[in-house]
Structure formats: structure tokens, C-alpha cells
Amino acid sequence: MGHRKRIALSIVAACVLASCGQEQAAQQGTSSATKASAPAPSSLRLYVFDCGTMQTDLSRFRLEASEVATNVLATPCFMVAHPRGTLMWDVGAVPDQDWMPTGSPVAHHLTLPDQSTRDLMLNKPLLSQLAEAGYRPEDINYLALSHYHWDHVANANAFASATWLVRANEREAMFAEKLPGTVTPKMYSALKNSRTTIVNEDEHDVFGDGTVVLMNAPGHTPGHQTLYLKLAQTGDVMLSGDLYHFTEARALKRVPTFDYDQTQTPASREKAEAFLATSGAKLWIQHDSALIASLKKAPEYYE
Ligand SMILES: [Zn+2]
């Protein structure tokens, strides 16, 4: 399918979902009239942003303290810059406007809608890291979330001008009258009127050249997905979403107690492991705090 045709289809999908007319025209006008701050790179880049860490209760993951190195999970954000456009992938646990950076790590205590609480450590707001890399939120062409949980969607409203790539069952759950588990709808409410592409295929090739692919991996949530990247120098990488939270869970095969479908998760993991074995891609477990700490952060990038 040609590039132009794909764009046309995206717009049609958006019109089915959102109130289309003037709002969309206004968005398109804005995006074509405003120049991107950073020039498009000549090859694929992956930016990793420090969006903090959080303490977690291991029993929610059916794990014992003796089985894992730490109960601290990273909550990173990512941006892909492709010659044909940009994609944000997961946008943090705490909205930038909900905390004040100090130059030192900031302890942040939050209460979720179900009244459970979490303790996080935050270093830098997402949008200031994005700016350091040369991008404004309006420069982002696509937004994809691995899934709708609160620790992945915090700054979603900042990217409402991007085209949202989402699976139908995930979007439906996010705006349902009865919300699924621990979600924070006000953090992504603006996406309801975003230009939206409903992703139906198991594998969705974002830029049409096979280097940036959303891969269906349901179970943790109904439309949970991972992101496969073909980086010229780094090699192939799969960003895990929450397919796993701990590297140890990969061998132990423990499924979190709060997964939406307890049987889908093992099936999605098996499929992903088979893909990793044949492609040779590295799996980057996004919540793995040791891994994320070891990665270079924006404005540096992987290519
Ligand atoms: Zn998570």
C-alpha cells in the first residue's frame, strides 16, 4: 500500500471516531503551517527519556523479594525519529504539570483513583527532555501507548495533536463507562478527539519500511502491544511494554495478578519469544530499572 493511500485511510478512520470537520482541518492546518524544530534524520533514531522510577509491591507480580534483584521499576518514555516522521511511545507515570523539578531527584507520592498509593522518584519533566532533543510536542506525528495503565499515559494529553495509533478494544476500554482497573482517564482525555488510526493488523508497520512496527501482544490489557525497531547500528530491539515487568519473570513465567486476561499473557509471551529468537532482536524490558539506568538518555540517541 502506497504512503498516500495509507494517510487517506488514517484520516477516514479518524473521521469515523472523532468529530471530524473543523477540528481536524484546524489540526492539519497547524501541522503543515508550523515547521518542525529538528530536521528529519537520515536514518532511524531512538531517544530514551528518564521518566522516573517507582517502588512496587512484588506480590502483584506473583514474585518474592528473594527472586528479584529489586522492587524498583523504571517508567521510561521513548521517541522514535524516522526520516518520514516521529512517534512517541509511552509517556510516563506522572504528568509534567503535577510536579516541580529541582535539579535533584524529587520524591513523588501519588494516590490512584482506586485509592492505592505509589511512591516515585522523578528527575526531569518529559517535555523539557524532548525540547533538549530538539522537538516540541506538536512535532510528534504519531502517538502509540503500549497500553492504558496510568504509568504509561501520564503526558498523553500533550500529544493530542499527533495521530493516535491504537487497537479498537484498547480504545474502547479507555473510554468505557466502567473503567478497567487502575486507569487515570483525565491524563489521556484529550485523545478522545485526536486524529486516530485504529490498528487492526497484528503487526502495524508505522512508516511503511519495516523499521518501526507495533506488535499485538494482548493479555496485560485487551490491546496491549510491543514496539519492534530495526536500528542500523544498535540492531533490532523490541520495547516490551508490560509483556514483562521484571527480567526474572521471563524465566519464572509469572503473570501479574492484575493482567486483564491471564491466559492471553503467556500466549503473547510465547509468540514474542519465538519472534525474538528468529529475528535476533534484543528485548528491552521497559520497567527493568537496571537496564533503563544503563541506557543513554536523550538528547543522545540510539541509531
Ligand atoms: Zn507498567
Side-chain angles (χ1 to χ4, degrees), residues 26-261:
Q27 279 178 2
Q28 284 173 328
T30 309
S31 59
S32 58
T34 323
K35 256 182 108 183
S37 340
S42 57
S43 63
L44 186 65
R45 293 178 179 179
L46 171 64
Y47 291 90
V48 182
F49 303 105
D50 174 359
C51 287
T53 58
M54 64 171 163
Q55 309 269 348
T56 199
D57 170 5
L58 292 172
S59 69
R60 301 179 70 239
F61 301 91
R62 296 196 171 93
L63 289 163
E64 306 280 341
S66 59
E67 293 175 316
V68 292
T70 177
N71 76 327
V72 174
L73 296 181
T75 56
C77 307
F78 301 88
M79 197 268 281
V80 171
H82 183 280
R84 289 181 205 152
T86 49
L87 165 77
M88 280 302 300
W89 171 256
D90 285 358
V91 289
V94 181
D96 285 359
Q97 64 270 22
D98 283 8
W99 67 287
M100 194 62 84
T102 63
S104 305
V106 174
H108 185 83
H109 184 78
L110 63 79
T111 303
L112 293 167
D114 67 358
Q115 298 309 309
S116 65
T117 61
R118 298 288 191 281
D119 285 290
L120 296 102
M121 292 300 287
L122 303 168
N123 290 304
K124 272 182 160 187
L126 172 59
L127 296 193
S128 67
Q129 296 180 73
L130 194 64
E132 278 176 44
Y135 294 88
R136 303 161 303 182
E138 58 267 35
D139 297 328
I140 302 302
N141 303 108
Y142 297 101
L143 169 70
L145 304 167
S146 62
H147 65 297
Y148 55 57
H149 285 152
W150 66 276
D151 54 317
H152 298 258
V153 305
N155 290 292
N157 287 339
F159 302 98
S161 66
T163 296
W164 184 26
L165 306 176
V166 62
R167 291 168 195 278
N169 50 4
E170 191 80 356
R171 188 185 186 280
E172 204 173 296
M174 291 169 79
F175 296 111
E177 222 159 278
K178 190 181 178 307
L179 291 167
T182 312
V183 293
T184 44
K186 69 173 196 252
M187 293 183 193
Y188 58 72
S189 55
L191 300 186
K192 195 163 193 177
N193 296 314
S194 284
R195 205 175 313 153
T196 301
T197 298
I198 293 295
V199 175
N200 294 310
E201 327 89 293
D202 264 6
E203 299 184 6
H204 179 78
D205 185 350
V206 179
F207 297 106
D209 64 354
T211 61
V212 181
V213 182
L214 297 171
M215 300 187 86
N216 196 21
H220 191 57
T221 62
H224 177 271
Q225 53 191 352
T226 62
L227 181 64
Y228 169 65
L229 301 169
K230 262 177 122 54
L231 292 157
Q233 287 173 31
T234 309
D236 297 7
V237 171
M238 181 191 275
L239 300 181
S240 66
D242 281 5
L243 189 63
Y244 300 99
H245 295 71
F246 295 86
T247 182
E248 294 90 342
R250 221 174 149 180
L252 293 168
K253 303 191 177 199
R254 304 282 166 73
V255 174
T257 56
F258 56 99
D259 275 23
Y260 168 80
D261 186 322

